[in-house]
Amino acid sequence: MKHIICIVLLFSITSCYQIERNCTDFQTGTFYSEITIDGILYKSHFVRTNNLQIERYNNNIDSSQVRWINDCEVVFKTINPKNMAEQKDIHLKILVTTDSTYTFEYSYVGEKTKQKGIATKLK
C-alpha cells in the first residue's frame, strides 16, 4: 500500500508541472545567443522578422529565409550559401521559454545530431 501511495503522489506532482513555452513571443525581434560546441562558446546577434533572419557572428553576416512549421519550430534556409554546409537547411525547435529567453535545439534537416543553446530577446 505504501508503494501505491508513493507512486500516486509522484505521478500527481509530475503531472502538474508543465514546461512554459510561449514561442510566439520569440518569433520576431532582436536576439543574442550562445551555443557551446565541443567546449567552444559561440556567440551571435541576430534580428528576426516574419520571413527573414540576419545573424552576425565572428565578423560574418548570414541571412536566412524563415519558415515556421508551428509556433515552436522553424526552418532556416541560407539565402546566399557560400559552401555545401550552408546549402543545408537548419531546423530549430524552442524547448523552454522564460520572459526574456528561450532554450532551443537545432540540427541540419535530416540529421540526428542536435546542438542546444540559449537565446535572449533584446528588443
Side-chain angles (χ1 to χ4, degrees):
M1 185 66 164
K2 237 181 181 183
H3 296 304
I4 293 173
I5 292 172
C6 288
I7 291 171
V8 170
L9 183 60
L10 180 63
F11 178 74
S12 65
I13 290 171
T14 57
S15 65
C16 294
Y17 178 73
Q18 287 187 337
I19 296 173
E20 183 177 348
R21 288 197 334 163
N22 296 319
C23 300
T24 56
D25 294 347
F26 298 97
Q27 290 183 351
T28 62
T30 302
F31 301 87
Y32 167 78
S33 73
E34 292 185 350
I35 302 164
T36 302
I37 302 173
D38 297 328
I40 300 171
L41 179 65
Y42 295 92
K43 302 174 184 180
S44 71
H45 286 83
F46 57 96
V47 176
R48 185 184 304 139
T49 65
N50 289 328
N51 55 8
L52 183 67
Q53 177 168 299
I54 300 170
E55 182 174 14
R56 291 178 181 223
Y57 65 95
N58 294 339
N59 296 321
N60 295 316
I61 297 175
D62 272 344
S63 299
S64 301
Q65 294 175 337
V66 174
R67 181 175 52 87
W68 287 93
I69 299 170
N70 58 47
D71 286 348
C72 296
E73 295 181 64
V74 64
V75 174
F76 299 105
K77 181 176 187 66
T78 303
I79 292 176
N80 290 311
K82 298 172 186 72
N83 55 50
M84 292 295 287
E86 290 181 2
Q87 290 181 8
K88 296 179 181 180
D89 294 349
I90 295 174
H91 177 251
L92 180 139
K93 181 178 182 179
I94 297 173
L95 303 173
V96 180
T97 65
T98 67
D99 60 338
S100 62
T101 67
Y102 66 90
T103 302
F104 62 91
E105 69 178 14
Y106 74 96
S107 66
Y108 289 112
V109 172
E111 292 190 12
K112 292 183 182 186
T113 303
K114 297 186 186 309
Q115 301 293 333
K116 287 189 178 181
I118 297 175
T120 303
K121 188 168 187 178
L122 304 174
K123 293 183 193 176

